[in-house]
Amino acid sequence: MNEFAAGVFFDQAAEETVLSAALDNPHLVRPVAELDPGVFWVPAAQELHAVIRSLLADGEPVDHVSVARRAAARASGPNSAQAASQRIIGLMGKTVG
């Protein structure tokens, strides 16, 4: 569903699907990481994209576990860390096929 905020149309489900596809399919990690960060409007998607880029730049694996750990490490405070991990868990199974 497309949404409209601050004069911008965005689709949260589409953003989540793109990020989830990268986590579910290793051959999509680099193409998703190379997307301009500006294509993500939802703050949580922006952060997850930044985490994927960070892991790739560090030569680390990019999967649900490593992304959840890095996102939690980047979060400020225990509640934020838990929320970051929950967002990653929420992406599991969002892709089709």
Side-chain angles (χ1 to χ4, degrees), residues 76-95:
S76 58
N79 290 338
S80 296
Q82 183 177 2
S85 294
Q86 287 300 111
R87 283 193 300 271
I88 306 302
I89 291 167
L91 289 178
M92 292 180 176
K94 290 255 184 189
T95 58

Side-chain angles (χ1 to χ4, degrees), residues 25-39:
N25 302 288
H27 67 279
L28 294 177
V29 170
R30 186 164 303 279
V32 169
E34 291 174 350
L35 290 172
D36 184 292
V39 303

Side-chain angles (χ1 to χ4, degrees), residues 32-72:
V32 169
E34 291 174 350
L35 290 172
D36 184 292
V39 303
F40 296 101
W41 178 255
V42 178
Q46 293 170 347
E47 176 62 18
L48 294 178
H49 182 250
V51 167
I52 290 170
R53 291 171 60 108
S54 170
L55 286 166
L56 190 61
D58 291 346
E60 298 290 330
V62 179
D63 56 35
H64 287 90
V65 173
S66 61
V67 171
R69 284 185 181 149
R70 179 69 59 97

